Amino acid sequence: MNSNTIREKFGDDYTADEQTFIMGIDQRFTSHFADRFKGRTVLETCTGAGFTTISFARSAKHVFTIEINTSHQEQAIRNVKKAGLLHHVSFIHGSVLDQRILEKLPSVDAAFIDPDWAVTGPSHIYRFINSNTQPPADIVLKKISGITENIAIVLPPLIDTKELDHLPEHEREKLYLGEHHELFCLYFGALVKNYGETEFHVPV
């Protein structure tokens, strides 16, 4: 990966491959998410190369982050070390759907869920109910809700929001990079600032 491209999106000459670069969320969004987690002990699912982890670790009390892909976790450890934040992060290898892993977690008071959208393209239909993200977003949200009610979950911009109507009351934030709608982020519990649909814009 080109170091200038990585630096522009994530803030430094971090380690990334093509997959983790695409999966990683722009630092201007991750810093925005992290503001809601200040001082909290956070569970992060799907570490990837650790770009969101770094933003959270700068302001959270501690981050416990779970990743099933060994290569991705190795990248994340290198990146968090480069950022000087290893003492704020605990890395856990395995699946967030593994109840044995969740039962061993220390107490957390908030969670950030960022499933891999797995498949992209103009003909792909994103689903939340019977989700086709990896791991399935609907199942992860239900499982993590048993740990904390303070949850943020990132979803693709092409999701049919009618599939979210059955969820508990939440804030549904649309995130824009310039004029382009990049993501949804749903907030629950104490992470909510305003119920209903809100927007966050990053000028370019």
Side-chain angles (χ1 to χ4, degrees):
M1 290 298 304
N2 182 284
S3 60
N4 290 331
T5 304
I6 293 173
R7 187 185 305 111
E8 181 179 355
K9 186 173 182 180
F10 303 121
D12 207 335
D13 297 328
Y14 293 121
T15 301
D17 57 33
E18 184 175 348
Q19 185 180 21
T20 54
F21 179 84
I22 293 170
M23 289 168 53
I25 300 174
D26 188 288
Q27 61 177 325
R28 292 166 291 185
F29 291 147
T30 59
S31 296
H32 171 69
F33 298 145
D35 283 343
R36 303 204 188 200
F37 290 81
K38 285 180 179 176
R40 296 183 180 275
T41 301
V42 181
L43 170 62
E44 178 193 27
T45 75
C46 310
T47 316
F51 304 120
T52 303
T53 316
I54 289 168
S55 288
F56 279 43
R58 287 181 173 138
S59 59
K61 184 177 180 180
H62 196 81
V63 180
F64 295 91
T65 185
I66 302 175
E67 174 59 55
I68 196 169
N69 185 300
T70 301
S71 173
H72 293 177
Q73 187 175 69
E74 289 171 351
Q75 290 179 36
I77 292 170
R78 289 196 294 272
N79 290 334
V80 172
K81 183 177 181 180
K82 181 177 178 61
L85 295 164
L86 273 179
H87 58 295
H88 287 294
V89 179
S90 297
F91 294 92
I92 302 164
H93 184 256
S95 170
V96 69
L97 299 180
D98 187 337
Q99 189 62 33
R100 295 168 298 177
I101 288 177
L102 297 181
E103 288 173 354
K104 292 178 182 178
L105 281 174
S107 178
V108 299
D109 52 21
F112 183 79
I113 302 171
D114 180 20
D116 180 7
W117 303 348
V119 178
T120 59
S123 62
H124 180 67
I125 298 174
Y126 293 98
R127 298 193 306 271
F128 179 77
I129 299 172
N130 299 319
S131 176
N132 50 5
T133 61
Q134 296 296 328
D138 54 342
I139 295 175
V140 176
L141 179 60
K142 183 177 181 180
K143 185 171 281 287
I144 300 303
S145 295
I147 297 174
T148 176
E149 64 178 11
N150 305 322
I151 298 172
I153 181 169
V154 173
L155 296 173
L158 298 177
I159 201 85
D160 182 355
T161 57
K162 291 179 181 178
E163 291 196 342
L164 310 174
D165 289 345
H166 70 287
L167 294 174
E169 192 174 19
H170 61 275
E171 177 180 353
R172 185 182 307 161
E173 184 176 57
K174 297 175 73 173
L175 295 104
Y176 290 85
L177 196 56
E179 297 300 315
H180 189 259
H181 178 201
E182 295 280 331
L183 308 166
F184 279 109
C185 189
L186 276 55
Y187 303 96
F188 298 87
L191 299 180
V192 172
K193 290 185 177 179
N194 296 287
Y195 287 105
E197 189 165 282
T198 60
E199 294 184 357
F200 176 72
H201 291 260
V202 174
V204 294

